[in-house]
């Protein structure tokens, strides 16, 4: 069994995982909506956010009544604090602070930073590459390239697993399911967490698969 499949099965089993594990997400709320059931069980968690969750076009911020992009980014950060408090999760947090929807423009720098920040972790949980959100796909690609770089440098790449987000398949937007891939079996643990209330959204089951 590969290290990645073993890690995905441990996530789905519901047992505590004391190993150093990084959860790499594009935006504040991705960690709660797509992997919230895992956060409390990862006692050695490093939580990395690639963006500040505030798009430069201000469309979302203006719709929600924020006057500036920085105000909106601060509100998203405050919601993250609230969600983690509800979970009683205390990860080491790293924020790269890129503008929402622009992560791909910084891909070389992201890979370099992740290759540094993920050097000592046993495993990484992140987005799949599924064509749903450009920042999600950038996270998926950056993590895989960083893991390969770590493997080349140290001889030991971290195990990789993905959580399901959303994508459009056969004309329908699908949430909480992976793009079908028989070679990467899903490991599913259904749950509902009150931490999602901090985002005014419902939490979803964690579906993890090895990569």
């Amino acid at each position: 069994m590969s290290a990645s499949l073993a890690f995905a099965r441990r996530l789905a089993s519901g047992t505590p995982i004391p190993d150093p594990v990084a959860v790499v997400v594009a935006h504040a709320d991705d960690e709660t909506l797509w992997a919230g059931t895992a956060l409390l069980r990862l006692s050695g968690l490093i939580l990395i956010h690639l963006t500040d969750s505030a798009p430069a076009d201000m469309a979302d911020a203006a719709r929600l009544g924020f006057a500036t992009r920085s105000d909106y980014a601060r509100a998203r950060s405050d919601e993250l604090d609230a969600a983690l408090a509800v979970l009683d999760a205390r990860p080491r947090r790293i924020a790269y602070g890129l503008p929402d929807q622009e992560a791909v423009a910084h891909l070389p720098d992201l890979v370099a930073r992740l290759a540094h920040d993920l050097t000592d972790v046993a495993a990484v949980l992140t987005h799949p590459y599924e064509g749903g959100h450009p920042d999600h796909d950038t996270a998926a690609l950056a993590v895989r390239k960083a893991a390969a770089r770590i493997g080349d440098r140290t001889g030991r790449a971290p195990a990789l697993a993905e959580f399901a987000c959303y994508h459009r398949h056969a004309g329908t937007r699908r949430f909480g399911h992976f793009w079908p891939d028989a070679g990467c079996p899903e490991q599913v643990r259904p749950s509902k967490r009150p931490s999602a209330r901090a985002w005014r959204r419902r939490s979803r089951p964690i579906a993890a698969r090895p990569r």
Side-chain angles (χ1 to χ4, degrees), residues 124-163:
V124 185
L125 180 62
T126 192
H127 298 273
Y129 196 103
E130 59 187 356
H133 189 294
D135 289 340
H136 294 181
D137 288 352
T138 300
L141 178 59
V143 166
R144 290 182 66 82
K145 291 179 74 67
R149 187 172 295 184
I150 293 168
D152 290 343
R153 187 176 71 239
T154 69
R156 184 200 62 81
L160 299 180
E162 301 169 341
F163 47 76

Side-chain angles (χ1 to χ4, degrees), residues 98-125:
L98 300 175
D100 193 327
Q101 301 179 17
E102 297 181 19
V104 70
H106 303 270
L107 184 60
D109 182 55
L110 281 176
V111 172
R113 294 183 70 175
L114 288 168
H116 174 268
D117 291 335
L118 301 177
T119 294
D120 297 323
V121 304
V124 185
L125 180 62

Side-chain angles (χ1 to χ4, degrees), residues 1-156:
M1 181 189 305
S2 71
S4 294
L5 178 56
F7 175 58
R9 288 183 173 176
R10 289 176 73 190
L11 282 173
S13 73
T15 58
I17 299 177
D19 316 39
V21 172
V23 173
V24 179
V25 294
H27 317 104
D29 81 355
D30 287 330
E31 76 297 316
T32 307
L33 292 174
W34 313 118
T37 58
L39 298 185
L40 193 58
R41 295 183 286 109
L42 301 174
S43 57
L45 175 61
I46 300 172
L47 180 58
I48 300 177
H49 288 88
L50 304 188
T51 79
D52 63 5
S53 310
D57 65 11
M58 282 288 293
D60 291 339
R63 176 174 53 83
L64 295 169
F66 292 94
T68 67
R69 198 182 76 83
S70 61
D71 286 344
Y72 182 47
R74 190 175 306 110
R76 295 294 299 273
S77 179
D78 290 344
E79 289 179 333
L80 171 61
D81 291 341
L84 294 177
V86 170
L87 279 173
D88 196 26
R90 298 180 178 86
R92 174 188 167 204
R93 289 164 57 179
I94 302 173
Y96 292 173
L98 300 175
D100 193 327
Q101 301 179 17
E102 297 181 19
V104 70
H106 303 270
L107 184 60
D109 182 55
L110 281 176
V111 172
R113 294 183 70 175
L114 288 168
H116 174 268
D117 291 335
L118 301 177
T119 294
D120 297 323
V121 304
V124 185
L125 180 62
T126 192
H127 298 273
Y129 196 103
E130 59 187 356
H133 189 294
D135 289 340
H136 294 181
D137 288 352
T138 300
L141 178 59
V143 166
R144 290 182 66 82
K145 291 179 74 67
R149 187 172 295 184
I150 293 168
D152 290 343
R153 187 176 71 239
T154 69
R156 184 200 62 81

